[in-house]
Amino acid sequence: MGKLFGTDGIRGVVGETLTAELAYQVGRAVTTVLAESLGHKPVITLGKDTRISSDMLESALMAGICSVGGDVMPFGTIPTPAVAFLTVQEHADAGIVISASHNPYEHNGIKVFNGQGYKLSDQMEAKVEELILYHTNIPAKTHGEIGTRFHGMRQMKKDYIHHLYSTLDCDLTGLRVLVDCANGAASATAPQLFGMLPLQADFIHAEPDGININTRCGSTHLESLAEGVVAGKYDLGIAFDGDADRCLLVDEKGNTIDGDKIMAVCATELRRQGKLTGNAVVATVMSNLGLHEFCKKNGMVLICTDVGDRHVLEKMVECDYMIGGEQSGHMIFRQYATTGDGELTALQFLQALKKSGLAASELVSCCPQYPQELVNVAVSPDAKQRIMQSEDLWAQVRSREEQLNGEGRILVRPSGTEALIRVMAEAKTTDIALRVANDLADYIKTMPQ
């Protein structure tokens, strides 16, 4: 068995690569590592999204935690950032989330936060992996040393909702929004949150059945939201992913507002408030050239990290920056959260929108957008790294970059969660970007698997 943790925890198809047995071992290993490092019986929070497999994995994780002496606080169905927030609030030693984010329902995942609400360090992940892969016979506790489950924890989501509400300092009266909950974890919190606001909020895709999470809805499928916003004459459409740690928006004309534009708008508002530390925005190498142009024009510093909200957050913490995120909608507002939070992002944008007095399309026009095409190439898991290390591939990339003549760029990278290689091309026109991306994708398909 290879490395378990990817860029966003452990992911896999449930019953194939991610099993109840593995979840049980993860619970045992995480608890054992925590007990050894802390010197006391650990308390671990636990949340999940709406996938049909989440209940099974939750039970397995709780059994594993309690079997080696850990106590567990299960919050039930709740967004990923809520687990991070409540872990800190309840002074727990770690938090675990069962979710595969934007992936289809047959996938699931296990993500671990430390007691400060940040993703588990590489060193801690390595210790957990070592126990699971090479030392599965962890001694079980007996008698009074067996761990316990805390009851009544599902009501804790109210604390998270009130925390989000407290981040607003603007009256949102008069706004009309349509909210897409992706049939995921936001279904458990967004109706209550938006119900507290002095605006009109209507909801779609907020009836999870275990298998409809992310199905033609949410931040990865904005079509129905865009149609609803235009037909209903809403001011804004809001879309979350399965675990509500990301958010994308739709303006009143049905056009997508991605993470780059959200960052531009919210960074401008933070600077107006005197809260944009370092006058800086942290993004990733996937961010559009339009965001680069916006920051340069407005005297802001744009810092780009490797893809992944973990890398964004690390740079933000290192340099005390307040806002960062990804084009895909993972946005981190460090004044209020330790991880990406879709509902928090929606509130901060709504606040900026109301204060501006503009329509959403006018507000985001400050940040241009260059045509950008992304093509995913399915590869075998064993071939992914080998292909990425191929000199022939990079020769092909350099050749096509020369053809762009400095008026675009190419990014080829392996997915951190799936057996895919992602090819992104940016150019002056959509046709050029699509042609370059498809050419490189076709070349990768010919490479040995």
Side-chain angles (χ1 to χ4, degrees):
M1 187 184 293
K3 192 173 185 288
L4 296 175
F5 285 91
T7 56
D8 201 26
I10 299 170
R11 292 276 182 92
V13 175
V14 179
E16 294 180 5
T17 55
L18 179 54
T19 63
E21 291 80 7
L22 177 57
Y24 175 72
Q25 294 298 338
V26 171
R28 288 165 59 83
V30 168
T31 307
T32 300
V33 170
L34 285 172
E36 291 176 351
S37 64
L38 298 171
H40 63 76
K41 182 178 188 175
V43 176
I44 301 172
T45 65
L46 185 59
K48 60 185 175 182
D49 70 17
T50 58
R51 293 164 210 272
I52 193 171
S53 59
S54 290
D55 289 347
M56 175 186 74
L57 297 175
E58 177 190 47
S59 298
L61 277 162
M62 286 197 294
I65 292 167
C66 293
S67 72
V68 292
D71 291 339
V72 60
M73 303 174 66
F75 299 134
T77 300
I78 199 168
T80 286
V83 175
F85 170 77
L86 292 171
T87 297
V88 176
Q89 176 183 280
E90 297 304 302
H91 304 289
D93 299 302
I96 299 178
V97 180
I98 303 164
S99 177
S101 189
H102 61 283
N103 287 351
Y105 83 93
E106 63 270 19
H107 294 253
N108 216 326
I110 300 172
K111 178 163 41 181
V112 187
F113 292 107
N114 65 21
Q116 291 72 50
Y118 297 112
K119 289 182 180 178
L120 210 61
S121 68
D122 291 340
Q123 294 78 10
M124 289 289 281
E125 284 185 354
K127 290 180 180 179
V128 171
E129 283 185 349
E130 182 179 1
L131 280 180
I132 296 170
L133 299 178
Y134 307 112
H135 302 283
T136 55
N137 294 321
I138 302 170
K141 299 296 184 180
T142 63
H143 298 82
E145 292 184 336
I146 294 172
T148 59
R149 167 186 173 168
F150 289 44
H151 292 273
M153 293 295 104
R154 297 192 177 206
Q155 299 304 312
M156 297 296 297
K157 70 179 182 181
K158 292 180 181 178
D159 289 359
Y160 169 67
I161 292 169
H162 283 284
H163 164 67
L164 294 179
Y165 180 81
S166 73
T167 68
L168 291 173
D169 64 3
C170 175
D171 185 353
L172 302 179
T173 299
L175 290 177
R176 297 180 65 248
V177 299
L178 184 62
V179 183
D180 181 346
C181 293
N183 291 316
S187 305
T189 53
Q192 291 175 248
L193 172 63
F194 284 87
M196 296 169 63
L197 304 176
L199 49 67
Q200 179 187 335
D202 296 313
F203 297 86
I204 58 175
H205 307 303
E207 298 180 352
D209 63 8
I211 63 174
N212 62 359
I213 186 171
N214 299 317
T215 301
R216 297 185 297 278
C217 61
S219 62
T220 52
H221 301 279
L222 295 171
E223 297 83 4
S224 63
L225 178 63
E227 291 173 6
V229 166
V230 174
K233 297 182 179 180
Y234 291 92
D235 297 305
L236 191 70
I238 300 168
F240 304 116
D241 65 340
D243 66 337
D245 69 347
R246 73 169 70 179
C247 169
L248 290 181
L249 306 171
V250 171
D251 69 22
E252 80 284 358
K253 298 179 180 179
N255 299 314
T256 299
I257 302 174
D258 67 10
D260 289 342
K261 290 181 176 290
I262 294 171
M263 275 190 283
V265 168
C266 292
T268 300
E269 176 60 22
L270 282 174
R271 184 166 68 175
R272 189 192 67 78
Q273 298 174 13
K275 297 178 180 179
L276 189 64
T277 54
N279 210 30
V281 177
V282 183
T284 77
V285 293
M286 287 293 286
S287 281
N288 193 276
L289 287 173
L291 182 60
H292 290 252
E293 183 177 308
F294 166 83
C295 289
K296 183 177 181 180
K297 181 179 178 180
N298 289 276
M300 297 179 187
V301 179
L302 181 64
I303 295 144
C304 289
T305 72
D306 289 339
V307 174
D309 59 335
R310 167 179 285 191
H311 300 297
V312 172
L313 180 61
E314 286 174 353
K315 180 58 68 174
M316 293 174 70
V317 171
E318 175 190 346
C319 301
D320 193 31
Y321 298 139
M322 287 295 109
I323 186 170
E326 297 185 278
Q327 190 183 58
S328 60
H330 279 116
M331 309 296 300
I332 302 171
F333 293 86
R334 216 178 116 242
Q335 180 181 356
Y336 305 117
T338 58
T339 189
D341 191 321
E343 291 171 284
L344 175 61
T345 299
L347 295 188
Q348 298 308 302
F349 187 91
L350 281 170
Q351 184 166 263
L353 177 64
K354 181 66 175 181
K355 289 180 178 180
S356 74
L358 301 173
S361 60
E362 296 172 313
L363 181 61
V364 301
S365 65
C366 65
C367 183
Q369 189 168 38
Y370 288 78
Q372 191 179 68
E373 295 294 332
L374 177 66
V375 179
N376 291 323
V377 185
V379 297
S380 69
D382 293 338
K384 188 162 64 171
Q385 291 302 324
R386 185 170 65 251
I387 290 173
M388 289 300 300
Q389 294 170 0
S390 168
E391 284 298 325
D392 291 339
L393 171 61
W394 295 110
Q396 293 288 329
V397 171
R398 288 191 294 271
S399 173
R400 285 159 178 78
E401 284 178 333
E402 291 172 2
Q403 294 172 19
L404 292 173
N405 197 29
E407 296 182 331
R409 60 179 180 142
I410 298 168
L411 181 66
V412 179
R413 67 178 186 88
S415 167
T417 58
E418 301 174 80
L420 299 172
I421 289 179
R422 306 192 193 279
V423 180
M424 188 275 284
E426 205 166 72
K428 291 185 68 176
T429 70
T430 299
D431 287 344
I432 294 174
L434 188 59
R435 173 175 53 80
V436 170
N438 281 329
D439 282 351
L440 272 174
D442 289 342
Y443 178 79
I444 292 171
K445 291 173 185 176
T446 68
M447 299 180 73
Q449 297 289 308

